[in-house]
Amino acid sequence: MDSEKKQRHNERMQRKKEVVDAGIERAQEERGIVLVITGNGKGKSTSAFGTLYRALGHGHKVGVVQYIKGTQATGEVLFLQQQNLPIPYHAMATGFTWNTQDWDKDKAAADEAWAFSKQLLQDESINLVVLDEITYMLKYNYLDTQEVVEAIRQRPFMQTVIVTGRGAKPELFALADTVSEIRDEKHAYKAGVKAQAGIDF
């Protein structure tokens, strides 16, 4: 790269640094936030658990509730269990609703999981709560959307909540501080590749 191009590059980087520094200067508020990770693409729960492990690395206390999932051991949960950490954890444990085809059974399991969730959302000692796949509970009306939104809104001031799942409702978008939508551009499963332990679950 010649000296003129290097100079232009350095000038661009300086302008970028000024923009970044100004953004950091503006963002001085400290409080818990709500993150919604939705969309049809792969990686929503993976992202949530990645943040959970990050929080653990900083010595934070975390809690997890997994809706829908629970009949199949996921790598994320197996790893947590191997660490023998005192993490509040609950799995709905009925599997996917399209497998059970039993609304009453699923509703009872959802209510039990939600009761556990509400305990976490009222615990000031917990820094991060992951409500994995809870969007399905709202979509299929197992849980009341307004009740869920209000419980999250009334959580302790410094507590952060991560909500995952496809088809997040507009009420969750409105509540959230950060929304990430993962698109399904390509997926090996659609090409006939079997889901693999350590990659897909």
Side-chain angles (χ1 to χ4, degrees):
M1 183 182 290
D2 62 38
S3 59
E4 185 179 343
K5 287 183 178 178
K6 288 179 181 178
Q7 179 62 29
R8 287 200 303 269
H9 171 78
N10 291 343
E11 290 171 356
R12 283 197 307 272
M13 293 303 101
Q14 178 58 38
R15 290 193 297 272
K16 183 174 181 65
K17 181 180 185 309
E18 290 169 1
V19 170
V20 171
D21 288 346
I24 292 171
E25 182 64 29
R26 284 193 304 271
Q28 294 299 312
E29 183 181 2
E30 291 188 44
R31 62 176 174 82
I33 63 172
V34 177
L35 298 92
V36 172
I37 307 171
T38 191
N40 293 332
K42 169 181 165 49
K44 295 177 290 293
S45 297
T46 307
S47 176
F49 273 91
T51 304
L52 180 142
Y53 295 134
R54 175 180 285 171
L56 287 172
H58 286 281
H60 294 179
K61 187 174 179 183
V62 302
V64 182
V65 181
Q66 288 196 292
Y67 293 84
I68 299 294
K69 296 170 182 172
T71 58
Q72 179 184 51
T74 63
E76 302 95 328
V77 173
L78 288 172
F79 180 77
L80 284 178
Q81 291 169 343
Q82 290 163 8
Q83 307 315 301
N84 200 27
L85 298 171
I87 294 174
Y89 172 78
H90 179 87
M92 194 166 138
T94 54
F96 293 96
T97 54
W98 50 87
N99 284 335
T100 62
Q101 299 173 20
D102 186 336
W103 197 91
D104 290 332
K105 180 180 177 182
D106 290 337
K107 170 62 175 161
D111 287 342
E112 182 180 354
W114 177 237
F116 190 86
S117 301
K118 286 192 289 186
Q119 292 176 14
L120 298 180
L121 292 168
Q122 295 167 1
D123 188 338
E124 291 187 2
S125 73
I126 296 181
N127 304 100
L128 173 65
V129 175
V130 174
L131 301 177
D132 187 36
E133 309 282 14
I134 195 173
T135 59
Y136 287 98
M137 301 300 98
L138 308 183
K139 178 179 180 181
Y140 297 130
N141 296 313
Y142 295 125
L143 299 176
D144 179 74
T145 298
Q146 291 306 320
E147 181 183 350
V148 170
V149 166
E150 193 58 28
I152 296 173
R153 183 178 286 118
Q154 296 298 324
R155 73 194 187 282
F157 185 73
M158 291 304 296
Q159 187 181 86
T160 288
V161 177
I162 302 178
V163 170
T164 74
R166 296 184 181 204
K169 289 199 168 187
E171 293 89 339
L172 289 173
F173 274 71
L175 175 67
D177 298 284
T178 299
V179 177
S180 294
E181 188 159 2
I182 301 179
R183 293 197 309 271
D184 187 16
E185 297 288 348
K186 272 181 94 172
H187 200 300
Y189 173 76
K190 292 182 178 179
V193 179
K194 184 178 179 178
Q196 302 174 61
I199 302 299
D200 297 294
F201 59 89

